[in-house]
Each structure stands twice: as structure tokens, then as C-alpha cells.
Amino acid sequence: GIQVEQSPPDLILQEGANSTLRCNFSDSVNNLQWFHQNPWGQLINLFYIPSGTKQNGRLSATTVATERYSLLYISSSQTTDSGVYFCAVEAWNRDDKIIFGKGTRLHILP
Amino acid sequence: DGGITQSPKYLFRKEGQNVTLSCEQNLNHDAMYWYRQDPGQGLRLIYYSQIVNDFQKGDIAEGYSVSREKKESFPLTVTSAQKNPTAFYLCASSNMGRDRNTEAFFGQGTRLTVV
């Protein structure tokens, strides 16, 4: 099946810093999502981004489907950005399963 | 409000007992999914369903069972055959179809503890 690799696995930053999280996938995909898991376990939808670039406030994401990767940018980090960020992909020719990467754990220090 | 609801939020089970986790959605989504998350780990797919009365095994289906009798509901039963059931369980739903937005949405999760 499709492999989804996220990097880095852990990231510690000072408040106000910028960060880039990466998601690589091993085969063509039709959909890609970024999620933020908060301290209570809830998965918050950040971006639904099969291709192209989207921005939402301090967050933006870019997916280059032909090169099989996606990037999540966080600017001017805040302590509330802490948590785990997951990338998930879906391929219509692979039973339509949604496959998750192992996540990037982000710690923002005050 | 439209959304996906999991219940209960916390569940305790004695060894050897079966227990059923509820997942209901009113988003009119075709597909529903169950994932398991262990501490500090990612999400692993247990079962998924793309249509009523049909479902497929995910990567870790052993010791679990599901049903999809209604479009809105996809309950997960953790059976006594599951060797290590203590975990956080997440349910999701999404649309299906190549010409549709298939963004997935998650419930708030159920924390199951075997005592």
C-alpha cells in the first residue's frame, strides 16, 4: 500500500518562530489532508489540499502531487500551535482508504 | 449542528468482555472509518465502509467487528479476542466519488481502558 512519511518526527521551537513540516507519499494520490491533533485528542481539519497552495491565517500548505510531497508552513508560532500534525492521503485506485503518516509532534515554548 | 458524534467519551471494560463504541454522523457522508491510536503513535485503520451493508478490513481488524445497517451509523465492537484493546478510538466520515469533495471529518474519540 501507499507509504506516508512525515518529517521531522519532533520539533521544538520558541514562540514566534516559523516552521515547515513535510509529508512524502510513495504513490500517486487523489486527496491529501493536514490535521492538527489537540491535547484532548481531537483531530482538527487544517487543509484539504490534493494539489496547489492554500492559506488560512498563519498557516499555509502546498502539495506538489507530481513530486509526491506536501508541505505545511506555520508562521509566527504560538503555544496553542503545539500538538501533533498529521498528513493523510487517499488514492481512488487503492480501495479509497485514507492512510495516515505517523505525525510530527510540535512543541512551542513560551 | 452537522457533525460526527462518538460515544461514550471514556469507557472501561473488564477483561473478557465485549464492548461497543458508537459513531453517528449527520453529514450525509457515504464512507465511514474506524482508527485506533496508541499513546505517542499515529492512526491505524481498523475497518472502513463505503456503503450501507458493506465494509472492509483495515490494517488491524483482528479482534474487532463492525456493522453498517444505516448510513448514519457505524458501531465498532471490541471483542474479547482483541489482545490489547486499551487505546484511543477515532471515527471519521467522508463523501465518496471522484467528482466530489472527499474531505474527512473526525469525531472526538473514545478512550477505552481495560481494567
Side-chain angles (χ1 to χ4, degrees), chain A residues 31 33 35 37 39-43 45 47-48 86 90 92-93 95-102 105, chain B residues 33 35 37 40-43 45 48 50 59 88 90 96 98 101-108 111:
Chain A
N31 294 314
Q33 288 186 248
F35 297 90
Q37 188 168 38
W40 297 272
Q42 174 88 40
L43 279 168
N45 290 40
F47 293 102
Y48 173 75
F86 288 104
E90 180 186 10
W92 294 328
N93 61 350
D95 300 323
D96 283 312
K97 293 190 293 186
I98 299 175
I99 305 298
F100 279 76
K102 294 186 176 181
R105 186 171 298 274
Chain B
Y33 311 83
Y35 292 88
Q37 187 178 32
Q41 303 297 312
L43 278 70
L45 183 63
Y48 64 109
Q50 299 170 340
D59 300 317
F88 186 50
L90 285 156
M96 295 286 296
R98 303 190 176 197
N101 180 319
T102 60
E103 184 175 5
F105 294 88
F106 280 80
Q108 292 188 319
R111 293 193 184 277

Side-chain angles (χ1 to χ4, degrees), chain A residues 3-7 22-26 68-70 87:
Chain A
Q3 305 299 313
V4 181
E5 294 185 2
Q6 292 187 241
S7 60
R22 187 176 181 100
C23 172
N24 291 336
F25 39 96
S26 61
R68 301 180 185 172
Y69 73 90
S70 183
C87 167

Side-chain angles (χ1 to χ4, degrees), chain B residues 39-54:
Chain B
Q41 303 297 312
L43 278 70
R44 294 184 291 168
L45 183 63
I46 306 172
Y47 269 99
Y48 64 109
S49 168
Q50 299 170 340
I51 195 170
V52 173
N53 292 323
D54 189 36

Side-chain angles (χ1 to χ4, degrees), chain A residues 42-103:
Chain A
Q42 174 88 40
L43 279 168
I44 309 299
N45 290 40
L46 297 178
F47 293 102
Y48 173 75
I49 185 166
S51 63
T53 298
K54 291 186 177 180
Q55 182 159 5
N56 184 4
R58 296 180 296 103
L59 274 62
S60 64
T62 295
T63 296
V64 184
T66 53
E67 298 186 20
R68 301 180 185 172
Y69 73 90
S70 183
L71 301 173
L72 177 68
Y73 305 96
I74 305 174
S75 64
S76 304
S77 299
Q78 301 175 359
T79 55
T80 52
D81 294 331
S82 295
V84 184
Y85 290 80
F86 288 104
C87 167
V89 303
E90 180 186 10
W92 294 328
N93 61 350
R94 298 290 184 99
D95 300 323
D96 283 312
K97 293 190 293 186
I98 299 175
I99 305 298
F100 279 76
K102 294 186 176 181

Side-chain angles (χ1 to χ4, degrees), chain B residues 4-5 7 9-10 17-18 36 38 54 64 100:
Chain B
I4 182 165
T5 303
S7 62
K9 192 172 182 179
Y10 298 95
Q17 288 182 339
N18 293 354
R36 169 181 172 141
D38 293 288
D54 189 36
Y64 299 97
R100 301 169 76 183

